């Protein structure tokens, strides 16, 4: 049974399905992450970051399930990246096409032509992001204020803004590609799927970019929102 599953996942179709599923799951993670970060904008009275701090403090209540979930999320990123590289290399050996999903009439976009590069950039950013917050003792002592203080630094804010642009480029093709990899494609749907991919890309890029923009230009160290 396990050998059959491994063989199925290693097939061309299996790789595409796994890429699509991991891509969709990562988009859902981004949605939850963005929704949680929106608590930074919720007024907290005397406690300027009270709602966000309460949101972050909620997760340790899961006890040992929290590190398990974090490991699972890390594996999700790793599997998505690994299969993206394998598919890309296999496609380059088999034909000129550079990505799992063909573009209609051979047309390329910035997103489709740079999926591996933007994906690797996002993985590198993930490491920086974890060092900035998950493994920063200051963040665990004062969640919201640590986020604000870091994003208020021009260099750090510009770095995060640049990465959000990279995220948008990646998702502009990745969202459409994930659906097509799961078999959701038809010539009549091409324009809709392409538009959906762009909408998803803009939604997340603008949503996450709003935080460094706000804390760089509008936040004061006194904590006023």
């Amino acid at each position: 049974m396990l050998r059959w599953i491994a063989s199925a996942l290693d097939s061309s179709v299996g790789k595409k399905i796994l890429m699509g599923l991991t891509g969709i799951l990562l988009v859902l993670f981004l949605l939850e992450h963005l929704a949680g970060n929106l608590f930074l904008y919720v007024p907290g009275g005397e406690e300027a970051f009270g709602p966000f701090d309460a949101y972050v403090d909620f997760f340790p209540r899961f006890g040992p399930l929290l590190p398990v979930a974090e490991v699972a999320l890390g594996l999700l990123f790793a599997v998505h990246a690994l299969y993206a590289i394998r598919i890309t290399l296999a496609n380059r050996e088999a034909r000129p096409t550079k990505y799992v999903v063909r573009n209609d009439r051979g047309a390329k976009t910035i997103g489709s032509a740079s999926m591996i590069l933007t994906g690797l950039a996002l993985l590198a950013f993930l490491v920086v992001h974890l060092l900035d917050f998950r493994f920063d003792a200051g963040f665990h002592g004062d969640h919201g204020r640590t986020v604000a203080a870091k994003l208020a630094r021009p260099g750090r804010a510009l770095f995060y803004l640049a990465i959000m642009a990279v995220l948008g480029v990646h998702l502009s093709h990745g969202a459409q590609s994930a659906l097509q990899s799961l078999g959701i494609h038809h010539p009549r749907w091409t324009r809709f799927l392409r538009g959906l991919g762009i909408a998803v890309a803009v939604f997340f890029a603008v949503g996450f970019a709003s935080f460094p923009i706000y804390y760089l230009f509008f936040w004061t160290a006194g904590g006023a929102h």
Side-chain angles (χ1 to χ4, degrees), residues 12-24 27 80 87 91 95 97-109 111-112 115 170-198:
S12 176
V13 174
K15 291 175 184 175
K16 293 178 182 180
I17 292 175
L18 195 57
M19 273 292 293
L21 285 175
T22 55
I24 294 297
V27 168
H80 188 74
I87 290 172
N91 285 344
R95 57 186 185 276
T97 304
K98 290 188 176 182
Y99 195 56
V100 55
V101 177
R102 66 184 183 278
N103 287 311
D104 293 317
R105 300 179 184 177
K108 291 183 180 180
T109 64
S112 65
M115 289 298 287
H170 191 79
L171 289 176
S172 68
H173 179 72
Q176 172 190 353
S177 174
L179 293 175
Q180 290 180 328
S181 294
L182 294 175
I184 305 175
H185 61 85
H186 189 280
R188 294 181 179 179
W189 304 343
T190 300
R191 182 175 296 180
F192 169 76
L193 291 176
R194 185 178 295 127
L196 178 62
I198 293 174

Side-chain angles (χ1 to χ4, degrees), residues 17-213:
I17 292 175
L18 195 57
M19 273 292 293
L21 285 175
T22 55
I24 294 297
L25 289 174
L26 288 174
V27 168
L28 291 177
F29 163 73
L30 286 177
L31 183 61
E32 187 281 330
H33 193 44
L34 178 58
N37 285 352
L38 290 176
F39 281 106
L40 287 165
Y41 292 144
V42 178
E46 294 183 0
E47 296 292 334
F49 297 100
F52 180 74
D53 290 345
Y55 162 74
V56 176
D57 288 334
F58 172 77
F59 290 99
R61 297 179 184 179
F62 288 98
L65 291 179
L66 180 59
V68 172
E70 291 176 328
V71 170
L73 183 60
L75 289 174
L76 185 63
F77 275 99
V79 169
H80 188 74
L82 176 62
Y83 273 80
I85 293 172
R86 291 186 63 187
I87 290 172
T88 299
L89 293 177
N91 285 344
R92 285 179 177 176
E93 291 178 0
R95 57 186 185 276
T97 304
K98 290 188 176 182
Y99 195 56
V100 55
V101 177
R102 66 184 183 278
N103 287 311
D104 293 317
R105 300 179 184 177
K108 291 183 180 180
T109 64
I110 295 177
S112 65
S114 62
M115 289 298 287
I116 292 297
L117 291 177
T118 55
L120 291 175
L122 290 172
L123 281 177
F125 164 72
L126 179 61
V127 174
V128 174
H129 191 57
L130 289 173
L131 292 175
D132 263 351
F133 301 110
R134 179 63 180 86
F135 299 113
D136 186 331
F139 175 74
H140 294 286
D142 196 346
H143 315 306
R145 200 163 294 279
T146 300
V147 173
K150 290 193 175 185
L151 294 184
R153 301 172 187 169
R156 185 60 81 196
L158 291 175
F159 169 71
Y160 270 78
L161 286 173
I163 287 297
M164 292 311 104
V166 172
L167 175 65
V169 172
H170 191 79
L171 289 176
S172 68
H173 179 72
Q176 172 190 353
S177 174
L179 293 175
Q180 290 180 328
S181 294
L182 294 175
I184 305 175
H185 61 85
H186 189 280
R188 294 181 179 179
W189 304 343
T190 300
R191 182 175 296 180
F192 169 76
L193 291 176
R194 185 178 295 127
L196 178 62
I198 293 174
V200 169
V202 171
F203 174 77
F204 283 111
V206 173
F208 282 113
S210 70
F211 301 106
I213 290 174

